[in-house]
Amino acid sequence: MALDDVDVAGVLCPAGVALSQGFAYAGGGGRASDRGRKSGVGESVNGLKADISILAGLDVSKVSDEELLAGAEALAGLASRLGAVRGRWLVAIGERGSWRASGERTLVRWNEKASGQSPAAAAREIARAQSLGEELPVMAAALESGEVFAEHVDGVRRVFSTPALRESLRREGVQEEIVRWARRSAPREFERRLRARALREDPAMGVAAEKDEAAREKVVFSPSGWGMRVSGWLSSETSALVDTALSALMGRKGADDARTLPERRAGALVELASVRLDEGTLAAGARIRPHLSVHVPLATLTRLENAAGGCPALDANDSSEGSLSMFKSGVAATGSVDARGVGAAEAGGANDGVNRDASRRCVETGGQGRAGACLEKVRRQRKKLGPLLAVIPSAIDLKALAGAEPAAFDDGTALSMTQLARLACDSSVGRIVFSATGEVLDAGRSKRLFTPGQTRAVIARDRTCRYPGCTETIPHGQIHHALPWKRGGATDLANAVLLCWHHHALVHREMTTIAHHDGGFVFTRPDGTIIGTRRHGV
């Protein structure tokens, strides 16, 4: 659609729709601004103001999607044309010194106040206008006709910055070719075309640009709130290398992955660092290889395990005297007697694999937000997926942890309890005993919570991340399991599940409980609602 052929008022306002200030568009030709318009500057500007007021008063809820899209595109072209006209006026104001009448010290200062722009933006607009008048007449005409935008001009000025390159722009056909690129190419493709043309015209510029890019490279970490703000600049070569690595880690976006591209990149960057540290190849000759250390008091660790759990009826290791334990066999033992002296037949009749003692407590306490509702879910899940083998809880009773000394990194940065639980899942644990004066009395050897053999077995069973909807493969996997320091977290395969890095962190943050059945996994939120189910082998 040619911008010159677009009647903006007609595009944006269907026939018969009332406009602001008493105007009504009845379809047909002619712009509202043509009526009674004179050639003077003041009259022309006032006519533009009137047209803008009409457009501003339109009820966009009554305009079709097609008209909105066409109108917005046309307005972008018109804004570009107005910018070109204003640029010519800025050049004239500078040549005449008209700005001095305002009392300002410089043209840039006057433009800053007149346009509301920052000093840098005001100076850039003036420099752009001067370049269009002196070096880029074809680009100037294209800007005034709405074929290109100010960003295209800025790109040409930024890339064609040496005397040899600026001289090449004067050759016949060069600017015309650049205008064609601008009309047909996306912004990044346009920039790549400009760089390729500039390197062809002036190879020395490319060498100088490479040196400048290398000298500017930096990454800055600045503490901000509860985290760290990362900023910096990478050369085109380095950024391509990093982007390739992060893209390989991200893979294809899953259907259920709601993260934005920047969020996925952040996750991939952390995963890349984690994998590199886990390889153990960094500073291989060092006595202690680089690693992330978390310092946690034993009392906090045990309180964390005691505070971790979900619905009591799902506690597969609740082995109070005489109670029915699903964990040991997946089937209630006929004729056993619970702590209150009630036989299995009396407690519930059918052998449905529900922990009876836990069942009573679930009903008494309301279960997962609704009295006894979790018990019915256990029965349904058991019929669908087979006996319940284990429960891998991530829910934490935060009230029970009030007063517990938080874990911390080497620099003293404190961790939340969910962060500690997630890090404990994929760590080596070592014991260090201190005296009252801080002397080390005993230092035990570090031990991984899951052995390499157990890890390989879990990977062989699960193959991919088991979170509903995720298909991330083994290279992105981590073992998520129950904590093993007391009762409920023996490091066997029933207590483990393969999750990708993103979903491993997610289940801890969201306190997701994972019920491991003979036929697969059921993921449940803290309120008892089911996120989804993943069967083994699917």
Side-chain angles (χ1 to χ4, degrees), residues 327-347:
F327 175 73
K328 292 181 178 178
S329 65
V331 179
T334 304
S336 63
V337 180
D338 68 13
R340 301 187 184 186
V342 180
E346 297 172 326

Side-chain angles (χ1 to χ4, degrees), residues 326-494:
M326 293 177 293
F327 175 73
K328 292 181 178 178
S329 65
V331 179
T334 304
S336 63
V337 180
D338 68 13
R340 301 187 184 186
V342 180
E346 297 172 326
N351 191 358
D352 57 7
V354 174
N355 186 309
R356 304 299 176 192
D357 185 62
S359 300
R360 289 195 188 89
R361 289 187 282 112
C362 183
V363 174
E364 291 167 0
T365 60
Q368 296 176 347
R370 293 174 295 175
C374 52
L375 301 180
E376 182 58 31
K377 290 180 182 177
V378 172
R379 296 185 178 97
R380 290 200 304 267
Q381 292 166 9
R382 184 176 182 275
K383 290 179 180 178
K384 183 178 180 181
L385 295 173
L388 181 64
L389 303 180
V391 173
I392 310 170
S394 296
I396 297 175
D397 183 358
L398 298 177
K399 292 182 180 179
L401 291 168
E405 183 179 350
F409 290 131
D410 282 333
D411 65 357
T413 300
L415 302 177
S416 72
M417 290 301 174
T418 51
Q419 285 177 314
L420 173 59
R422 186 189 65 76
L423 289 169
C425 257
D426 194 42
S427 304
S428 295
V429 178
R431 182 189 75 254
I432 302 177
V433 180
F434 295 91
S435 70
T437 59
E439 292 293 329
V440 176
L441 299 179
D442 180 46
R445 296 185 64 182
S446 295
K447 178 182 178 182
R448 292 199 69 85
L449 302 184
F450 250 69
T451 67
Q454 289 173 318
T455 298
R456 287 193 294 269
V458 173
I459 291 173
R461 180 194 67 197
D462 295 344
R463 303 295 180 90
T464 64
C465 174
R466 295 288 85 194
Y467 195 89
C470 184
T471 58
E472 288 288 359
T473 52
I474 296 170
H476 306 280
Q478 292 183 329
I479 304 299
H480 172 60
H481 55 81
L483 301 180
W485 288 282
K486 187 170 172 283
R487 56 180 184 88
T491 52
D492 54 38
L493 304 187

Side-chain angles (χ1 to χ4, degrees), residues 207-219 233-236 238:
V207 175
E210 180 187 359
K211 292 179 179 179
D212 178 64
E213 285 186 346
R216 292 172 57 195
E217 284 193 325
K218 62 181 180 181
V219 176
W233 193 88
L234 299 176
S235 68
S236 56
T238 305

Side-chain angles (χ1 to χ4, degrees), residues 296-306 401 404-405:
V296 51
L298 179 60
T300 299
L301 203 57
T302 54
R303 287 182 66 177
L304 175 63
E305 187 195 9
N306 291 332
L401 291 168
E405 183 179 350

Side-chain angles (χ1 to χ4, degrees), residues 219-234:
V219 176
V220 180
F221 294 90
S222 305
S224 177
W226 288 84
M228 191 78 70
R229 184 177 299 277
V230 182
S231 60
W233 193 88
L234 299 176

Side-chain angles (χ1 to χ4, degrees), residues 34-51:
D34 289 338
R35 293 175 296 218
R37 172 138 330 155
K38 298 180 181 179
S39 60
V41 171
E43 290 81 359
S44 296
V45 171
N46 287 335
L48 284 173
K49 289 181 178 179
D51 287 346

